[in-house]
Amino acid sequence: MHTRQEGGCTLPKNPTLAHTLVTDRTQQHIATTASRRTRHASDFLPAVRFMIDAGFHPDAGPTTLRLAHALAVRMHRSRDGHIPYSLERTCAQLGLGRSTVAKHAKILRELGLLAWAQHGTRANALPHRDHPRAGYRPTATLYAPCTPPVYDQAMGHRTRGTGYTARLTGRTRPPRTTRKIRRPWTPSVTSNPSTGHVTDDRTTKNPARSAATNPPTSSAPTPRTPTRTPRRPRRSPAKVQADIALAAQVRPRVPWTQRLPLRRLAFALRPMIDAGLDAAAIAAELAAWAWSWPRTWRPSDIAGYLLGQLNKGRGLPASRDTCGCGCGGRAQATPPNSAFAAAFATLAAAGPKLASNDPDQVPADFTTRRELLLWKRQRDRDIQADILASLRQAGERQQRRALAQLPFAQWLEAVEDRSTWYLPHPAEPGAWVSPSP
């Protein structure tokens, strides 16, 4: 490693990397440069320090780094990171002469760290942007900060494309080293042929520990075999689609789950789905959870709350088998005898047959897709009508409770107000409407 002195600063040279200075001015533009575009000062300044410390340019030094810092503070003003460069203002900012600033700007261009985005000129003057009537001003030089290919090579960067439009895609992986496996320490033991006593070298310094914890006949510790948690089988796409369809039936029935996307809700409900519960049973269980909550409380993380409660076993059926008599109850310690099973079957056959009122049960006599779509639309209208009827009934009950709690004078005033009266609907006996004034 060779070093050189400039201004009291020792700069190392790296002979393993090769870089050709860009001395041709036609190769110092963004359309012709071989360097990669850089938009942030946090990426530009490390490349400047590397190129200077590597000694690729004989005249680069601390002054070049000062100029790079002065230019980097202006990069955030442009979306592309372009730097407006004014020679007079830069000289006043750094306290240097014109020739010195121009020399080190040329060094940065030859190192591939700067490229021209626009040449400045005094002849082609433009109106002032903020004050058009104040006269004309010359166009400014725009520099585009860049990263040379040798810097990406030294840092192990992976790029896609060439030149100014190349993109950084990642970092080259270092060579994989062999992983060290920690093995249990096996002590060396020695035996005395005359007495047959076995001595452990771990306890020779502490005889009390040897007598208390390591008996003479103890063998070497058995190495433990690491246990791995078995991975769950992957869910097939058809099963995931069925879970999402079931979640679409559950979500409208449970208000506190309606902010959760269907895919996340289906994933959170997998324990209940795998337990064999249908949409009606899941909706009834989740709706019952909210009965004990405060009036304004709702879980902020709905999926996390569901998974946490289901992991505790809440809402899942018992793991014991059902009763063998056909009643659907849990199995008891003493199974029923044949006489009880026969009596239960007789009563079940003689009892009334309950019709299935599941709104999601698709009739089996549909032959065309149009009939199915019409049935779904009618089912949605029926569900909406049931919800509105329930809301109306709840409003009536709430109003009656409020009237019952009023003093007599306020109650009489409220009763005389016709807007609080409700009359039965002529077409729907179960519905109530407010009469028009």
Side-chain angles (χ1 to χ4, degrees):
M1 183 73 67
H2 302 281
T3 59
R4 62 186 176 85
Q5 297 286 338
E6 178 174 343
C9 179
T10 303
L11 302 176
K13 290 186 178 181
N14 191 348
T16 61
L17 297 175
H19 175 69
T20 303
L21 297 180
V22 186
T23 56
D24 188 359
R25 291 174 61 92
T26 60
Q27 301 297 322
Q28 297 177 0
H29 297 77
I30 60 175
T32 57
T33 183
S35 301
R36 176 174 55 86
R37 174 174 53 185
T38 302
R39 298 182 180 181
H40 304 285
S42 58
D43 300 328
F44 173 63
L45 292 177
V48 174
R49 297 190 189 98
F50 171 80
M51 297 297 290
I52 294 176
D53 293 342
F56 291 125
H57 200 290
D59 297 330
T63 306
T64 311
L65 186 60
R66 284 186 59 196
L67 176 60
H69 274 279
L71 297 178
V73 297
R74 311 174 193 172
M75 293 179 62
H76 69 280
R77 303 175 185 175
S78 171
R79 180 184 61 183
D80 298 325
H82 292 173
I83 303 169
Y85 173 74
S86 173
L87 183 59
E88 290 78 7
R89 294 184 180 180
T90 307
C91 294
Q93 179 182 357
L94 298 178
L96 301 174
R98 292 172 55 91
S99 59
T100 303
V101 174
K103 171 187 174 182
H104 289 278
K106 179 182 178 182
I107 292 173
L108 292 175
R109 294 197 307 269
E110 292 180 349
L111 287 173
L113 296 168
L114 289 181
W116 271 304
Q118 175 182 315
H119 281 279
T121 177
R122 291 183 177 275
N124 186 16
L126 296 177
H128 198 279
R129 180 186 303 175
D130 299 328
H131 304 281
R133 298 182 180 179
Y136 291 81
R137 63 179 179 86
T139 56
T141 298
L142 292 181
Y143 275 133
C146 304
T147 300
V150 66
Y151 174 73
D152 292 332
Q153 178 185 355
M155 297 294 109
H157 295 165
R158 290 183 299 172
T159 58
R160 178 177 299 176
T162 58
Y164 184 72
T165 58
R167 294 183 296 132
L168 186 64
T169 59
R171 181 182 293 272
T172 305
R173 290 185 177 181
R176 192 170 184 178
T177 58
T178 57
R179 185 179 179 182
K180 294 183 179 180
I181 302 176
R182 295 188 62 184
R183 301 182 182 276
W185 178 62
T186 303
S188 58
V189 295
T190 57
S191 60
N192 190 345
S194 60
T195 60
H197 182 71
V198 180
T199 305
D200 191 345
D201 63 349
R202 293 179 300 177
T203 57
T204 53
K205 297 181 180 180
N206 192 349
R209 179 183 177 187
S210 174
T213 60
N214 299 308
T217 58
S218 63
S219 60
T222 305
R224 286 195 238 170
T225 303
T227 58
R228 295 184 179 179
T229 305
R231 300 181 65 180
R232 296 181 180 179
R234 294 191 61 184
R235 223 172 184 83
S236 63
K239 181 62 176 174
V240 173
Q241 186 178 4
D243 296 347
I244 296 175
L246 189 142
Q249 302 175 19
V250 172
R251 190 173 66 174
R253 305 179 182 183
V254 185
W256 61 272
T257 63
Q258 293 177 3
R259 292 188 295 108
L260 195 64
L262 285 179
R263 285 184 174 271
R264 296 188 62 189
L265 180 60
F267 179 81
L269 295 178
R270 281 185 182 181
M272 306 183 79
I273 298 173
D274 295 340
L277 300 180
D278 57 356
I282 294 176
E285 178 64 28
L286 298 183
W289 290 5
W291 292 349
S292 60
W293 295 347
R295 186 172 183 180
T296 59
W297 184 86
R298 290 296 181 271
S300 57
D301 184 4
I302 302 174
Y305 178 78
L306 282 171
L307 291 174
Q309 295 296 322
L310 295 177
N311 288 337
K312 297 176 182 178
R314 183 180 181 183
L316 299 178
S319 59
R320 292 180 292 179
D321 297 333
T322 57
C323 184
C325 66
C327 64
R330 297 179 180 176
Q332 304 296 327
T334 304
N337 53 22
S338 58
F340 179 84
F344 182 84
T346 303
L347 292 175
K353 301 296 183 181
L354 299 178
S356 176
N357 296 325
D358 187 4
D360 297 324
Q361 185 68 31
V362 181
D365 55 350
F366 288 160
T367 58
T368 62
R369 181 176 177 84
R370 177 178 176 79
E371 294 178 351
L372 179 61
L373 293 177
L374 293 176
W375 174 82
K376 288 184 177 180
R377 292 177 183 175
Q378 184 61 36
R379 180 199 60 177
D380 295 341
R381 295 192 191 98
D382 296 342
I383 293 176
Q384 184 179 9
D386 294 341
I387 294 174
L388 294 177
S390 301
L391 293 176
R392 285 195 296 268
Q393 294 175 6
E396 296 166 14
R397 289 192 294 267
Q398 183 179 3
Q399 186 178 14
R400 294 193 188 100
R401 290 194 298 268
L403 289 175
Q405 296 175 1
L406 291 177
F408 178 76
Q410 297 182 6
W411 174 84
L412 185 61
E413 181 181 355
V415 169
E416 291 178 354
D417 186 5
R418 292 179 59 88
S419 63
T420 61
W421 294 4
Y422 285 88
L423 299 176
H425 197 280
E428 302 179 10
W432 293 77
V433 296
S434 176
S436 57

